[in-house]
Amino acid sequence: MATSTPETRDQPQVAPFILNHVGDVSRPRRGMSTAADLAHLPGEAGIVANVRNTLGWVRRGNEHLLEQHRRFGPVYRTVFAGYTVVCVADPEMVMSIARDDHTWSTALAWLTFFQGIDAKINAAQVDSPLFLDFKPHRDARKILQPAFGHTATAGYFDAATPLFEKAIDRWVAQGRVSFKEEIRSLLVEVSTRIFLGVDSGATEFEHALIDYWEGPLSLSRSALLSAKWRRSIRGHRVLCEMLRSRIAERRATGGDDLFSRLCAKTQESDALLDDDGLVRLVIGVMAAAFATTSSGLASMAYLLAIHPEWQERMREEAFAVSKGRVSYEDSKQLEVSSRVWKETMRLYPIAPYCARRALHDVDLGQFRIPAGTFVMGLISVVMQDGSLWSNPQRFDPDRFTEERAEDKKSKASFLPFGTGAHTCTGMHLANAEAKSFWHAMLTRCRFTLERSYQGRHTYNPAGIVSGDVKLRIERL
Ligand code: HEM
């Protein structure tokens, strides 16, 4: 990045101890420990609470968070995977935490999860837009913007569709599919194709990405004590090497994948990013894309399997829009599909929170939150808030129709992709992938669960329905 000084208009009020620790808050040079004096807040702390909450999040997902919200109220302290955090479940507060970047830092929060995996992350070499704020963040978004615009997304849609069709044809021929497992590999294959423009090396890339991404859930951050943490460091190194070795070739040959687009863009004389930064930005984007869309598709497969009437509605619409392959433009007419996808993300939230840290002391409702506090704005809890949604635990995609518009009841009601400056870069791509996939699937087959079970929400680390989602497939 060309500059490390936030513009004057960006200067937030920052507690001096934070500045001393991280330097420039727009590009923090390292993460911070999460301890803060929060004894005045309801909630829990300590080793037992840590284990209970970590298991609660992982095994019972949003149900655990809703339970804590009922028990402790809209602002409470907790400890999760070793991080001391304040969880916030009030819709308006969640909204302001996600959007008010003069009070809350995104970079300081997300960096905390990943600090130590790689020395350069700590030295503020960009890895993800989530590790940046203010001007450096805007620069990173500016670099990414053309690679996520309408034309690029239409291109990714066209590249993804034949891969979806090929996999679905195989499942149909087999008469069954272990959906959760297969959709994850399929989405990695699709991501490798549309982000990196390669059809080979997907498995090696997948392993490295999984290892890197799961590091922050290690109970110990010592390479000596934790195999998970060691794998995470190694995974990150492998990713860097794989990408770095391909830059020159991409600049020579070009391509319409994300990596080639960014390689071309960062070759320009006024480039905001050097080659190392480019590699790290691509890893950051791919890490954010990894397992999010595939988790949503797995949860949706489960919901459609147990609600065959919605399969029929979506199938009818899919055939009405196109009997063969659907184009990106035409996919915009798939409104029933869009409602079911939204309802899936509401009932089985993929990303539970917007992570932030207080830059200075601030009031949240009746509580004073000290500077440096790690705060999670629980978008997943708001998406099931009984004051905003009718019968919130019920699967009811029509709540998103224009007539009912439950998602518009409050600006904070439905934020599966976050909001504000750090709104998900891949939002349109994820929505497009979901439409392409379900159009291909529902125009080819009907499906039911091989073994019926009561699914629940889990975090792994993205939110996903429990169980293996094994499907019995019947050719149309
Ligand atoms: C259904 C799938 C997805 C969901 C639910 C999701 C959700 C989110 C959320 C909630 C945030 C904001 C986090 C915060 O404010 O703390 C975010 C940020 C981000 N997402 Fe996604 N995401 C999804 C798919 C993707 C995909 C496919 C990509 C890439 C192609 C992607 C790339 C990113 C990036 C780069 C950011 C950081 C943006 C920034 O800091 O400016 N996401 N995502």
Side-chain angles (χ1 to χ4, degrees):
M1 292 275 143
T3 175
S4 62
T5 315
E7 290 164 347
T8 319
R9 70 185 164 97
D10 279 338
Q11 291 290 356
Q13 186 199 333
V14 185
F17 79 91
I18 295 180
L19 284 176
N20 288 341
H21 188 77
V22 305
D24 176 359
V25 286
S26 64
R27 307 185 63 193
R29 65 170 172 249
R30 56 181 154 167
M32 294 172 65
S33 74
T34 59
D37 184 8
L38 301 170
H40 58 297
L41 264 71
E44 31 185 23
I47 295 168
V48 176
N50 182 26
V51 174
R52 195 173 50 234
N53 283 318
T54 308
L55 292 179
W57 275 61
V58 172
R59 291 188 184 156
R60 294 193 303 116
N62 216 35
E63 191 188 315
H64 175 77
L65 296 181
L66 287 162
E67 223 169 75
Q68 287 208 312
H69 169 37
R70 277 193 296 272
R71 192 165 152 216
F72 300 125
V75 180
Y76 61 91
R77 70 193 155 108
T78 187
V79 51
F80 149 76
Y83 305 103
T84 299
V85 294
V86 169
C87 285
V88 179
D90 172 81
E92 298 314 315
M93 284 188 215
V94 169
M95 186 79 175
S96 108
I97 286 166
R99 297 185 79 111
D100 175 4
D101 52 12
H102 275 229
T103 302
W104 306 101
S105 161
T106 303
L108 280 183
W110 281 97
L111 202 57
T112 307
F113 289 134
F114 291 88
Q115 65 181 321
I117 286 179
D118 172 75
K120 282 201 171 170
I121 292 181
N122 296 6
Q125 301 272 337
V126 62
D127 232 13
S128 164
L130 286 169
F131 299 168
L132 301 167
D133 278 318
F134 306 115
K135 182 164 186 328
H137 176 250
R138 282 197 297 278
D139 287 347
R141 296 280 301 210
K142 208 188 305 170
I143 291 165
L144 286 174
Q145 200 273 330
F148 284 96
H150 182 273
T151 314
T153 306
Y156 302 149
F157 185 97
D158 291 342
T161 303
L163 297 176
F164 289 149
E165 290 171 346
K166 196 170 127 207
I168 296 165
D169 285 339
R170 181 164 49 83
W171 303 341
V172 173
Q174 289 164 355
R176 60 180 302 276
V177 60
S178 202
F179 192 86
K180 209 186 241 187
E181 205 181 305
E182 292 263 346
I183 195 70
R184 184 155 143 153
S185 305
L186 179 57
L187 261 287
V188 172
E189 190 190 337
V190 168
S191 298
T192 316
R193 173 69 195 77
I194 65 184
F195 292 144
L196 302 182
V198 291
D199 298 319
S200 59
T203 314
E204 197 190 349
F205 201 90
E206 176 182 1
H207 288 151
L209 202 53
I210 292 172
D211 286 348
Y212 165 50
W213 184 238
E214 291 188 344
L217 287 181
S218 312
L219 286 177
S220 160
R221 279 161 177 270
S222 153
L224 272 179
L225 297 179
S226 166
K228 205 185 205 73
W229 193 246
R230 274 197 302 280
R231 280 198 302 274
S232 186
I233 294 172
R234 191 190 142 276
H236 188 267
R237 198 177 54 237
V238 169
L239 291 172
C240 285
E241 285 163 6
M242 283 176 78
L243 291 183
R244 214 172 279 132
S245 67
R246 290 179 157 105
I247 293 179
E249 171 224 319
R250 284 323 161 81
R251 289 205 170 123
T253 58
D256 57 6
D257 56 284
L258 173 108
F259 185 48
S260 299
R261 286 168 189 273
L262 295 186
C263 281
K265 185 137 186 69
T266 51
Q267 207 174 9
E268 295 162 7
S269 56
D270 59 346
L272 293 160
L273 214 58
D274 61 14
D275 286 358
D276 204 42
L278 160 70
V279 163
R280 287 157 190 284
L281 187 61
V282 173
I283 293 173
V285 169
M286 290 197 68
F290 173 70
T292 45
T293 314
S294 62
S295 296
L297 293 177
S299 301
M300 186 154 155
Y302 169 82
L303 285 167
L304 286 173
I306 63 168
H307 295 284
E309 71 284 9
W310 280 96
Q311 258 189 69
E312 280 315 317
R313 278 184 71 175
M314 279 179 62
R315 186 171 295 111
E316 225 170 83
E317 178 186 70
F319 277 124
V321 170
S322 167
K323 291 203 167 50
R325 189 175 282 180
V326 70
S327 68
Y328 179 55
E329 262 331 298
D330 287 348
S331 76
K332 292 177 184 159
Q333 297 168 45
L334 295 167
E335 288 172 15
V336 179
S337 174
S338 167
R339 292 206 288 278
V340 178
W341 173 237
K342 285 180 181 168
E343 181 67 342
T344 302
M345 291 191 285
R346 190 191 70 78
L347 270 181
Y348 291 95
I350 298 163
Y353 52 77
C354 292
R356 304 288 185 265
R357 292 186 79 139
L359 288 170
H360 49 83
D361 292 355
V362 56
D363 289 329
L364 276 178
Q366 64 189 102
F367 301 110
R368 190 80 176 151
I369 304 295
T373 303
F374 198 124
V375 172
M376 288 177 174
L378 298 177
I379 47 180
S380 62
V381 170
V382 175
M383 288 195 290
Q384 294 175 21
D385 184 322
S387 67
L388 299 171
W389 304 91
S390 63
N391 207 347
Q393 297 306 319
R394 186 163 165 254
F395 176 68
D396 179 10
D398 282 339
R399 61 174 88 244
F400 289 96
T401 55
E402 266 178 40
E403 300 76 60
R404 286 176 59 193
E406 291 188 13
D407 54 323
K408 307 268 164 41
K409 215 162 171 179
S410 145
K411 281 195 176 135
S413 299
F414 187 65
L415 301 172
F417 295 103
T419 182
H422 289 270
T423 303
C424 179
T425 323
M427 174 167 72
H428 298 300
L429 176 61
N431 291 339
E433 284 180 325
K435 283 195 173 157
S436 160
F437 176 82
W438 288 113
H439 186 276
M441 182 86 173
L442 292 167
T443 50
R444 281 170 169 71
C445 64
R446 273 189 185 85
F447 56 90
T448 49
L449 284 179
E450 227 175 60
R451 176 186 59 85
S452 151
Y453 69 96
Q454 184 64 48
R456 46 170 221 289
H457 185 233
T458 63
Y459 282 120
N460 188 23
I464 188 168
V465 69
S466 61
D468 43 26
V469 197
K470 283 193 174 151
L471 303 179
R472 189 176 297 119
I473 307 237
E474 183 198 326
R475 189 190 298 271
L476 284 187

